[in-house]
């Protein structure tokens, strides 16, 4: 008799590694310059060789593509530029056959303005779907459409007012993102039921969970007495870090982030969609401006909300009072201090998502590492070591496993992102010149992460036989999958070993986390412990040479097994001294 297979534990995702595919930029199968689902299916060997367990697919739904698919006009269909529903079913089947899962992006804080729901909603003030979105009249005493008549002073994440006037019905609608991304009104139970039905439809089709876009924005603060929505603080000290320009606009943060009903809605969703299904699914919420305390509320399994969240503290460290484009300096020490706080704060109750990059962030090696030719590989490996060995579920963004870097955009015409284009226009209108406006976009612009995946050294990096929708990074001639796949010293091979370690070592998955405080804040050290097993990770997060990781028990650790190293076998006996961006992992017990 064959033994019964072990049942999947509810928290299977603790030992999983997730890989994010940004479909537009991953692989193009038909030469139109836009990545597509058949292209993904052609490259599954890469993911399997890397060892990842789950693919998170950024949106492939039907969309006008104002925000590259985060503006959905039909939740039940695939955009023709990406393929068909059959292609998607095929991708799900291929992944399952290889033992991998597929997590879809779920964008339900807003729809596209081209969605049928919004078309109906905007058609008249009496339409049954009017209340599915946030419609408000002009500010009292003002005429709709004139400057300053917006119902509140809120700024959007894309450098404009958060309100757009609709002359057809003489009212404004709310959008925290682009004007073509109207916010759904989750106060309306019909909206919530429609969303849950759609989620169930996808799970029944075979997908394994959802990454939920800006899910902590779904509940807004609504006052009982007019005006029910209130102005935000302009330029105030309470600003929420992130993309909102709180110098020019009021900060909507306190009214739209973690609103009063957000936990109720998530618990209701959990009951309606997940609670009755067998284990094997994954939910991760994208939650900007979240504190450790809030992170615990979202991810405590006893509350039945989400498995884990993407918090933003570490990716907001280099944002100043003016928001995302107000770039301020940040050091790897700042990064590590922030991550360590989350490591310790989430404790045994919650669970962390571990990420250093995604489709909204610049390349992590350019931002937190050193992308000079001398240090690119080493710094990418050091960052990967920390990423994979912290406690939580690691997320690898496509191309980061190769150490891809920020793009050398010459001017705004090289970029495609609506966020960058709006920010550029806003910067020029504030009196900055083109070069000043580009400085922040070159550093922080989202297109840095959206240049095509680099498969090989051929003309368009093996991404397309046509003309790519955004230029391929010129460094693809050296930085690509083909050159790294069989090179044991590559960034790719290092990621592979780190993933293997997680799959083999329960201490990586379940071990406690403790930072080892050191005098030199360029060196990050932590110990993971489980049932007598200990793992020490030391990493020099700088390009400086010969930094000592002055652990009190350094000599003992030097006797322990060196499981992973980015710089070969050291010959030290007493002191741990690290070269630039050198990382080591020791194991004992
Ligand atoms: C999330 C997405 C981002 C998108 C925004 C609006 O932050 O990750 O790409 O622009 O939501 O949907």
């Amino acid at each position: 008799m064959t033994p019964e297979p072990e049942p999947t534990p509810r928290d299977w995702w603790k030992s999983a590694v997730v890989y994010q595919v940004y479909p537009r930029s991953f692989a193009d199968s038909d030469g139109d310059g836009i990545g597509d689902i058949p292209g993904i299916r052609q490259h599954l060997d890469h993911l399997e060789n890397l060892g990842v367990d789950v693919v998170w697919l950024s949106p492939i739904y039907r969309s006008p593509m104002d925000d590259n698919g985060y503006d959905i006009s039909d939740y039940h269909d695939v955009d023709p530029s990406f393929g068909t529903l059959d292609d998607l079913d095929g991708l799900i089947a291929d992944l399952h056959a290889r033992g991998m899962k597929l997590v879809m992006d779920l964008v339900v804080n807003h729809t596209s303005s081209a969605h049928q729901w919004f078309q109906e909603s905007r058609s008249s003030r009496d339409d049954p779907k009017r209340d599915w979105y946030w419609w408000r009249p002009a500010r009292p005493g003002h005429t709709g459409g004139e400057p300053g008549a917006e119902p509140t002073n809120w700024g959007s994440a894309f450098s404009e007012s958060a309100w757009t006037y609709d002359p057809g019905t003489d009212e404004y609608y709310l959008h925290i993102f682009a004007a073509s991304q109207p916010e759904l009104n989750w106060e309306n139970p019909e909206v919530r039921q429609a969303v849950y039905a759609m989620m169930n439809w996808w799970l029944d089709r075979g997908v394994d969970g959802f990454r939920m876009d800006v899910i902590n924005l779904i509940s807004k603060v609504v006052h009982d007495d007019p005006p029910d929505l209130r102005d935000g603080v302009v330029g105030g000290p309470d600003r929420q870090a992130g993309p909102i320009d709180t110098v020019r606009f009021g900060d909507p943060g306190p009214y739209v982030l973690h609103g009063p009903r957000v936990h109720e809605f998530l618990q209701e969703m959990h009951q309606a969609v997940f609670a009755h299904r067998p284990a094997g699914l994954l939910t991760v919420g994208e939650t900007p401006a979240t504190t450790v305390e809030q992170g615990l509320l979202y991810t405590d399994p006893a509350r039945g909300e989400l498995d884990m969240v993407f918090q933003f503290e570490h990716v907001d460290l280099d944002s100043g009072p003016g928001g995302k484009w107000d770039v301020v300096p940040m050091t790897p020490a700042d990064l590590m201090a922030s991550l360590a706080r989350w490591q310790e704060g989430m404790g045994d109750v919650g669970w962390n998502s571990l990420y250093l990059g995604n489709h909204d962030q610049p390349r992590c090696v350019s931002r937190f590492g050193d992308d000079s030719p001398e240090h690119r590989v080493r710094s990418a490996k050091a960052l990967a070591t920390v990423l994979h060995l912290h406690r939580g579920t690691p997320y690898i963004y496509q191309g980061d496993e190769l150490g891809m870097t920020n793009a050398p955009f010459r001017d705004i015409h090289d970029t495609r992102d609506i966020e960058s284009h709006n920010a550029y226009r806003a910067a020029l209108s504030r009196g900055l010149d083109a070069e000043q406006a580009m400085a922040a976009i070159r550093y922080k612009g989202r297109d840095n992460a959206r240049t095509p995946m680099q498969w090989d050294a051929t003309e368009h990096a093996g991404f397309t036989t046509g003309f790519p929708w955004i230029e391929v990074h010129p460094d693809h001639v050296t930085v690509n999958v083909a050159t790294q796949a069989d090179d044991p010293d590559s960034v790719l091979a290092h990621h592979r070993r780190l993933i293997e370690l997680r799959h083999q070592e329960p201490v990586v998955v379940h071990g406690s986390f403790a930072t080892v405080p050191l005098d030199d804040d360029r060196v990050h050290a932590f110990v993971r412990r489980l049932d007598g097993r200990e793992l020490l990770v030391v990493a020099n997060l700088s390009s400086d040479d010969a930094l000592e990781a002055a652990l009190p028990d350094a000599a003992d650790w030097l006797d322990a097994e060196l499981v992973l190293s980015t710089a070969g076998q050291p010959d030290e006996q007493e002191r741990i001294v690290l070269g630039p961006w050198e990382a080591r992992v020791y194991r004992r017990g």
Side-chain angles (χ1 to χ4, degrees):
M1 246 178 64
T2 43
E4 284 283 305
E6 293 271 318
T8 308
R10 274 266 156 209
D11 60 354
W12 65 272
W13 31 260
K14 288 188 176 172
S15 58
V17 176
V18 184
Y19 185 95
Q20 182 189 355
V21 169
Y22 193 68
R24 199 175 179 81
S25 304
F26 193 67
D28 171 23
S29 72
D30 59 6
D32 68 354
I34 296 173
D36 48 42
I37 298 171
I40 303 172
R41 294 180 70 186
Q42 287 163 7
H43 286 89
L44 296 183
D45 283 349
H46 174 64
L47 305 183
E48 193 174 342
N49 292 340
L50 187 55
V52 298
D53 307 279
V54 179
V55 171
W56 149 27
L57 186 59
S58 277
I60 44 71
Y61 311 88
R62 216 172 247 279
S63 162
M65 299 289 163
D66 283 355
D67 189 17
N68 287 358
Y70 283 89
D71 48 323
I72 297 171
S73 55
D74 184 349
Y75 290 107
H76 296 93
D77 203 1
V78 168
D79 194 81
S81 61
F82 294 135
T84 62
L85 262 180
D86 280 347
D87 293 328
L88 187 64
D89 288 340
L91 174 63
I92 297 170
D94 287 355
L95 286 168
H96 287 175
R98 291 171 186 252
M100 290 184 267
K101 292 176 184 275
L102 182 77
V103 163
M104 295 278 275
D105 221 301
L106 181 82
V107 189
V108 289
N109 171 67
H110 45 269
T111 67
S112 163
S113 52
H115 196 290
Q116 180 68 28
W117 296 344
F118 188 73
Q119 294 296 317
E120 290 172 32
S121 181
R122 89 182 321 170
S123 66
S124 99
R125 288 195 193 189
D126 305 323
D127 187 87
K129 288 208 169 53
R130 184 66 168 180
D131 187 45
W132 281 42
Y133 295 85
W134 295 85
W135 291 98
R136 291 293 181 277
R139 196 178 277 268
H142 288 73
T143 304
E146 70 179 26
E150 293 81 16
T152 71
N153 65 357
W154 298 352
S156 82
F158 292 162
S159 308
E160 306 161 314
S161 165
W163 295 96
T164 289
Y165 179 62
D166 190 44
T169 53
D170 187 28
E171 282 193 326
Y172 287 81
Y173 64 88
L174 178 65
H175 54 89
I176 296 298
F177 296 91
S180 54
Q181 292 169 299
E183 301 275 304
L184 279 168
N185 176 14
W186 277 65
E187 297 291 320
N188 184 330
E190 289 175 17
V191 168
R192 307 204 296 274
Q193 293 311 322
V195 168
Y196 306 153
M198 178 269 285
M199 293 171 75
N200 276 312
W201 185 85
W202 279 106
L203 291 175
D204 293 343
R205 210 174 179 95
V207 309
D208 303 292
F210 298 100
R211 172 269 185 189
M212 303 181 190
D213 196 65
V214 289
I215 201 67
N216 61 331
L217 269 66
I218 56 177
S219 161
K220 276 74 171 164
V221 175
V222 188
H223 295 272
D224 288 338
D225 47 333
D228 62 345
L229 302 177
R230 304 275 163 89
D231 280 345
V233 175
V234 182
D238 296 337
R239 61 173 290 278
Q240 308 274 348
I244 308 272
D245 175 352
T246 50
V247 173
R248 288 165 62 222
F249 293 103
D251 182 4
Y255 303 100
V256 303
L257 291 159
H258 318 286
R261 300 185 69 188
V262 68
H263 296 293
E264 174 198 334
F265 293 160
L266 288 174
Q267 287 170 13
E268 182 185 79
M269 175 197 284
H270 182 81
Q271 287 307 320
V273 180
F274 301 104
H276 62 280
R277 292 179 185 269
L281 305 178
L282 181 158
T283 58
V284 50
E286 186 205 23
T287 56
T290 293
T291 61
V292 171
E293 293 68 32
Q294 288 156 337
L296 285 168
L297 295 179
Y298 288 120
T299 65
D300 177 352
R303 296 171 54 86
E305 296 185 18
L306 298 169
D307 295 330
M308 56 191 115
V309 292
F310 293 120
Q311 58 91 10
F312 275 56
E313 195 179 288
H314 62 299
V315 291
D316 285 335
L317 288 171
D318 48 10
S319 297
K324 168 172 180 170
W325 304 108
D326 175 18
V327 177
V328 297
M330 172 214 40
T331 64
D334 299 332
L335 170 72
M336 291 305 142
S338 165
L339 294 180
R341 259 176 25 75
W342 275 85
Q343 287 289 299
E344 282 153 10
M346 294 294 266
D348 289 326
V349 178
W351 192 251
N352 275 304
S353 306
L354 310 172
Y355 76 100
L356 294 175
N358 59 38
H359 66 292
D360 293 331
Q361 302 296 332
R363 287 288 176 184
C364 62
V365 72
S366 300
R367 187 187 207 178
F368 302 121
D370 179 340
D371 63 6
S372 68
E374 193 187 350
H375 295 299
R376 184 187 64 81
V377 170
R378 294 175 214 229
S379 62
K381 288 185 191 174
L383 291 170
T385 308
V386 171
L387 174 83
H388 285 273
L389 298 182
H390 274 174
R391 181 181 160 99
T393 299
Y395 286 72
I396 304 173
Y397 178 66
Q398 70 183 41
D400 282 351
E401 79 276 26
L402 308 174
M404 279 178 63
T405 60
N406 276 358
F409 297 125
R410 285 158 299 215
D411 56 36
I412 195 70
H413 304 295
D414 282 350
T415 70
R416 300 284 176 270
D417 182 12
I418 184 171
E419 185 194 46
S420 292
H421 288 187
N422 286 1
Y424 183 79
R425 220 178 309 116
L428 296 190
S429 75
R430 285 203 307 279
L432 267 60
D433 67 28
E435 265 312 292
Q436 289 165 328
M438 275 310 287
I441 291 171
R442 284 203 187 95
Y443 173 70
K444 281 258 191 85
R446 306 193 295 183
D447 283 326
N448 281 303
R450 299 177 180 184
T451 64
M453 178 70 179
Q454 296 172 190
W455 297 103
D456 59 38
T458 61
E459 192 187 6
H460 296 306
F463 164 71
T464 182
T465 54
F467 195 75
W469 70 277
I470 185 169
E471 248 181 89
V472 168
H473 196 304
D475 75 4
H476 74 274
V477 288
T478 50
V479 181
N480 61 61
V481 175
T483 51
Q484 295 194 23
D486 298 320
D487 173 3
D489 292 327
S490 64
V491 180
L492 180 58
H494 191 67
H495 272 274
R496 204 184 289 137
R497 281 193 290 272
L498 286 161
I499 295 171
E500 259 167 37
L501 189 62
R502 166 171 297 260
H503 289 153
Q504 287 159 5
E505 267 292 350
V507 67
V508 175
V509 178
H510 299 289
S512 63
F513 173 95
T515 314
V516 183
L518 298 174
D519 286 342
D520 191 330
D521 68 5
R522 291 166 295 181
V523 182
H524 183 51
F526 57 93
V527 179
R528 307 287 313 277
R529 292 193 179 88
L530 183 74
D531 301 333
R533 184 75 129 184
E534 289 186 312
L535 219 55
L536 169 72
V537 179
V538 281
N540 173 0
L541 297 177
S542 79
S543 305
D544 302 332
D545 198 3
L547 300 190
E548 182 174 0
L551 277 68
D553 53 352
D556 291 352
W557 277 112
L558 283 165
D559 284 341
E561 180 196 358
L562 182 67
V563 215
L564 267 182
S565 153
T566 58
Q569 183 74 38
D571 58 1
E572 298 153 336
Q573 321 266 291
E574 300 290 329
R575 298 162 64 225
I576 299 178
V577 180
L578 303 169
W581 298 101
E582 181 177 350
R584 295 186 206 162
V585 183
Y586 289 97
R587 169 166 59 193
R588 68 185 181 196

